[in-house]
Amino acid sequence: MNKNTVVGITLIGLILIGFSIFNTRQMEKAQAARKIQDSIDFVQAQRRADEMAAAKADSIAYAMAHSEEAVTDSVSVGYVATYSNARLEDAYRRTSESVTLENDLLKVKLTSRGAQPLSVLVKNYFTCDSTELYLMKEQASTFGVQMYTGQWINTKDFTFDIVSVTDSSAVMRLYFSDESYVEHVYTLSTGSYMVDLDLNAVGMDKFIPSNVHSFDIQWDMILPRLEKGYKNEMTYSSLYYHYPAEDDVENAGGRGKEEAQKKITTKFDWFAFQQQFFSAILVAGDSFTSGDVSYKFFPEINPGNDLMDCHATASVEMDSKHDISSRFSFFFGPNHYKTLKSYDCRFEKIIPLGGWMVGWINRIIIIPFFDLLNGFVSSYGLIILIMTILLKLIISPLTIKSYMSTAKMNVLKPEVDKIREKYPRQEDAMKVQQETMELYRKADVSMLGGCFPILLQFPVLWAMFRFFPASFELRQQGFLWVKDLSTYDSILDLNFHIPLYGSHVSLFAILVGVTMFLMSKLSSKQMDNNPQMAGMKFMTVYFMPIMMLFICNNLSGALCYYYFLSNLFAIVQTWVIKKWFVDEEKILNQIRINSAKNAKKPKSKFQMRLEAMQKAQQEALREQQRRQRR
């Protein structure tokens, strides 16, 4: 690498680093301002909610204390009815009660106000600070059925009558008259994360006009923060929905997108409010006809320690008699691949395992292999070690082939140098390239031989990159100094923030950087001998390890551990290949034999087309030079 190249790369690096620092500072200022505004908005909203709740409580207390007066002389007491139906008005002003459904996996608290879930405790799991894991916190969700009954109503605004309750079921009704009511029947089966909701409307033809043929399901829910790393939790959380008969799911936003809104104009059968490792999903027995979904992430620091605010409105068709009998199901549980897959609704597709090729590798190869090892090995650190070694051994033939191709180029370097000396002028660069390609053809050496095997490994490497952060099994599993393999490891928490790095020090990130430097240093001699790679030495040996140190500092401990093991294995593998597989004297003899065989061998059609194109380019360059001289 000459001096100008080094200076150029250094300047580019300094500009990138300077721009990153400036951009980070600007983002931090904007985030700080947004956090202040969010806090102000939260306090104001809380104040308004408290005032409304107090006013509503006073109104209810007043109405209950003066119920007889309210009926006989509503004007004298200042009572104004909100709904024309007396039964609805009574349900609107009544206080609520709560009931609990419970099995071995869930504890679901229901409120008669709207006959809706009030809170959901997922058993056997804990948050990052070791408290009980509430996927739904009280006052963090509203679920209602909106319909037109002479005036628009939403069931979330009314207190239902509790008809019957057991540990596994609850029946609640909202009466319009003695013979007409809307009924919610909740059922929670043993060993299931699914809560079934049968929505029935009886005798509602008296209240629903004949030209009304649908009602809306509205669900708003605030997902709490459950994991340690906010960026990872945000990156792997989103809102999904699924079209009937489709294999894949639709993402309303995208990875790491702070907010998104999507209008769904065709039928879909479920939507999911998905946190990194837990999800709340609503499934329609018959598909929703259309809908709107949206979400917005809260800032990292917020008073409620919340993650994202999710909203969904979905339309459901009614029959002509306006007797509703629809089944819905809530899923409240972990994003565990086998658990989600067991419900046969394509729930497992919400786990971000990658695109079609990478996702296929994860689902068909990586996950079954991981589960197989999990049946015999109790330590997930050892499982990752075994997986890394076996995968490296499987792709080792490609690695050896890549190394051998590079070794052949190194042996041919003196011949390539002679060609360069033969054509020293810049305008003869095309001749240098043509004769070099002819030399490689006769020697049976591919210019892409060192790159192509590496490219074939990328899908597997990318599959592992997507698998580890999304693997539920690794959540809160420790190994060595790492307490939780699903998030970043920290051996030192800093009292300040380093741009692009963070406010902690990850030991695995340091080990990844060091092993990458040693691996690159070990290969640097080959780079010096290879003209195509010599210019990349600075980037590979110095810049890339430093960049990986910054990147890995915030990645999951499992992923960094995998990178560290991969680099370590590559160092050992390179040493073994150089010592026992590469003999430059044998390679040179074989090249001479191949050159003799291929000297009279006709050129391939591809090479002939390539040479024709090069000649055309060379002629065009000469014509341009002649015009410039004129």
Side-chain angles (χ1 to χ4, degrees):
M1 184 183 298
N2 58 38
K3 182 179 179 181
N4 292 335
T5 306
V6 173
V7 172
I9 293 176
T10 303
L11 288 175
I12 292 171
L14 290 174
I15 291 171
L16 289 174
I17 293 171
F19 176 79
S20 299
I21 293 172
F22 173 80
N23 192 44
T24 301
R25 288 178 179 174
Q26 294 299 110
M27 289 178 62
E28 288 175 349
K29 289 180 181 179
Q31 288 176 355
R34 189 178 63 186
K35 288 176 183 177
I36 294 172
Q37 186 60 45
D38 288 340
S39 299
I40 294 173
D41 292 344
F42 179 87
V43 172
Q44 291 177 346
Q46 189 66 42
R47 185 183 301 160
R48 288 195 298 269
D50 292 341
E51 290 173 353
M52 291 175 63
K56 189 173 181 179
D58 291 341
S59 176
I60 293 172
Y62 188 90
M64 293 179 66
H66 301 83
S67 58
E68 294 182 1
E69 294 178 22
V71 173
T72 59
D73 190 8
S74 61
V75 176
S76 64
V77 297
Y79 173 82
V80 179
T82 305
Y83 296 93
S84 56
N85 185 301
R87 299 290 288 267
L88 285 183
E89 184 66 22
D90 176 66
Y92 177 69
R93 294 186 174 275
R94 279 207 321 269
T95 56
S96 64
E97 301 177 60
S98 62
V99 298
T100 301
L101 306 182
E102 188 170 1
N103 66 6
D104 52 328
L105 302 176
L106 294 176
K107 183 177 181 181
V108 181
K109 190 175 182 181
L110 305 173
T111 175
S112 62
R113 189 69 176 180
Q116 60 181 306
L118 182 63
S119 67
V120 176
L121 171 68
V122 184
K123 297 182 178 181
N124 308 317
Y125 299 107
F126 299 92
T127 64
C128 60
D129 54 2
S130 302
T131 59
E132 290 183 314
L133 196 150
Y134 278 90
L135 183 56
M136 179 190 292
K137 299 186 294 186
E138 291 194 21
Q139 312 305 324
S141 172
T142 58
F143 176 84
V145 179
Q146 180 173 277
M147 61 178 63
Y148 188 76
T149 60
Q151 63 184 130
W152 284 104
I153 68 166
N154 195 312
T155 58
K156 67 182 178 63
D157 298 324
F158 303 94
T159 298
F160 283 55
D161 292 334
I162 300 176
V163 178
S164 65
V165 177
T166 67
D167 289 341
S168 59
S169 66
V171 180
M172 304 183 193
R173 290 176 182 170
L174 175 63
Y175 283 94
F176 288 71
S177 68
D178 290 340
E179 297 82 19
S180 304
Y181 56 85
V182 174
E183 180 181 67
H184 287 185
V185 181
Y186 287 93
T187 307
L188 177 61
S189 302
T190 302
S192 177
Y193 288 105
M194 199 81 83
V195 181
D196 293 324
L197 167 60
D198 290 316
L199 175 60
N200 305 312
V202 179
M204 290 302 295
D205 56 311
K206 301 176 183 178
F207 298 93
I208 301 177
S210 59
N211 61 343
V212 176
H213 301 289
S214 66
F215 63 90
D216 290 339
I217 295 292
Q218 293 184 344
W219 190 14
D220 300 336
M221 180 179 173
I222 295 177
L223 285 175
R225 285 196 55 190
L226 303 173
E227 315 303 330
K228 183 175 72 171
Y230 172 76
K231 288 185 178 180
N232 266 353
E233 192 172 9
M234 177 183 173
T235 299
Y236 293 98
S237 302
S238 191
L239 194 157
Y240 291 88
Y241 56 94
H242 179 256
Y243 293 124
E246 290 290 331
D247 181 65
D248 214 341
V249 296
E250 300 293 327
N251 191 336
R255 292 183 61 196
K257 195 172 182 179
E258 291 189 359
E259 59 181 296
Q261 185 174 2
K262 184 74 174 181
K263 186 174 183 64
I264 308 170
T265 57
T266 57
K267 288 186 176 182
F268 64 106
D269 51 10
W270 58 260
F271 60 88
F273 302 151
Q274 182 244 351
Q275 186 263 355
Q276 183 180 5
F277 290 122
F278 295 88
S279 290
I281 306 175
L282 180 62
V283 187
D286 294 323
S287 299
F288 301 113
T289 57
S290 61
D292 292 276
V293 294
S294 64
Y295 69 86
K296 181 179 181 180
F297 283 99
F298 289 92
E300 183 172 2
I301 300 175
N302 63 84
N305 197 33
D306 297 315
L307 177 67
M308 60 190 296
D309 191 1
C310 303
H311 305 271
T313 298
S315 297
V316 181
E317 287 185 348
M318 293 189 297
D319 61 27
S320 58
K321 297 179 180 179
H322 300 126
D323 284 333
I324 303 171
S325 181
S326 300
R327 165 159 285 200
F328 303 92
S329 297
F330 293 92
F331 173 87
F332 299 108
N335 298 336
H336 179 259
Y337 184 82
K338 279 191 172 181
T339 299
L340 293 176
K341 191 175 177 61
S342 67
Y343 290 97
D344 197 25
C345 294
R346 295 290 190 268
F347 290 163
E348 72 277 5
K349 295 290 186 171
I350 68 175
I351 301 176
L353 294 174
W356 70 270
M357 177 182 289
V358 172
W360 182 87
I361 293 173
N362 271 320
R363 295 182 182 96
I364 304 301
I365 301 174
I366 304 299
I367 291 177
F369 186 34
F370 183 88
D371 292 339
L372 176 66
L373 293 176
N374 197 13
F376 299 96
V377 183
S378 59
S379 170
Y380 286 101
L382 293 179
I383 290 176
I384 296 173
L385 173 62
I386 295 171
M387 288 182 67
T388 304
I389 293 175
L390 290 179
L391 286 173
K392 284 291 185 179
L393 289 175
I394 290 172
I395 64 177
S396 59
L398 295 176
T399 306
I400 294 173
K401 186 175 181 180
S402 173
Y403 201 97
M404 292 297 291
S405 179
T406 304
K408 289 178 181 179
M409 288 186 177
N410 291 336
V411 171
L412 289 175
K413 185 177 181 299
E415 299 299 323
V416 174
D417 290 340
K418 290 179 181 179
I419 296 173
R420 293 180 184 277
E421 292 174 0
K422 182 179 177 181
Y423 301 103
R425 297 185 305 171
Q426 186 66 32
E427 54 267 28
D428 292 331
M430 192 69 68
K431 293 181 179 180
V432 173
Q433 187 175 1
Q434 289 175 351
E435 293 202 15
T436 302
M437 290 181 61
E438 179 64 15
L439 173 66
Y440 286 158
R441 186 189 72 83
K442 291 179 179 179
D444 206 9
V445 175
S446 172
M447 294 183 67
L448 299 177
C451 301
F452 190 65
I454 296 176
L455 292 176
L456 291 177
Q457 302 176 35
F458 277 175
V460 176
L461 298 176
W462 189 250
M464 302 297 278
F465 175 80
R466 298 301 298 269
F467 169 73
F468 286 120
S471 176
F472 183 84
E473 289 85 351
L474 299 176
R475 183 179 184 268
Q476 297 183 354
Q477 297 296 322
F479 180 68
L480 299 177
W481 63 87
V482 182
K483 296 180 180 179
D484 186 348
L485 285 168
S486 70
T487 187
Y488 62 83
D489 70 290
S490 177
I491 58 170
L492 179 64
D493 292 327
L494 306 175
N495 295 324
F496 52 90
H497 182 82
I498 301 175
L500 305 178
Y501 185 74
S503 56
H504 64 276
V505 177
S506 166
L507 180 55
F508 267 137
I510 295 174
L511 292 175
V512 170
V514 170
T515 51
M516 177 169 280
F517 172 78
L518 294 175
M519 183 176 63
S520 301
K521 198 72 174 174
L522 190 62
S523 305
S524 62
K525 184 177 179 181
Q526 291 184 2
M527 293 182 184
D528 292 334
N529 295 332
N530 190 335
Q532 285 77 23
M533 299 181 67
M536 295 295 294
K537 180 178 178 181
F538 173 82
M539 296 290 292
T540 305
V541 177
Y542 300 102
F543 185 77
M544 287 296 294
I546 295 175
M547 187 177 71
M548 286 301 294
L549 173 65
F550 276 72
I551 292 174
C552 291
N553 196 63
N554 292 293
L555 296 182
S556 70
L559 186 57
C560 291
Y561 175 49
Y562 165 73
Y563 283 159
F564 164 67
L565 291 176
S566 297
N567 291 343
L568 201 61
F569 189 92
I571 292 172
V572 175
Q573 189 178 49
T574 301
W575 179 79
V576 170
I577 291 173
K578 288 180 67 176
K579 188 170 182 64
W580 281 288
F581 287 85
V582 176
D583 187 332
E584 292 191 357
E585 187 64 31
K586 288 184 179 180
I587 292 174
L588 182 59
N589 291 334
Q590 185 62 45
I591 286 176
R592 289 170 179 167
I593 295 173
N594 292 340
S595 297
K597 288 182 180 179
N598 297 329
K600 298 180 180 180
K601 185 178 179 180
K603 298 178 181 179
S604 65
K605 292 182 179 180
F606 172 77
Q607 189 171 2
M608 292 172 67
R609 286 196 297 267
L610 185 61
E611 288 183 358
M613 184 176 63
Q614 290 174 343
K615 289 179 180 179
Q617 291 176 348
Q618 191 172 11
E619 185 61 32
L621 180 61
R622 289 174 181 172
E623 181 63 26
Q624 184 180 4
Q625 291 174 349
R626 282 196 295 267
R627 289 177 181 177
Q628 290 176 351
R629 285 195 294 266
R630 290 175 186 174

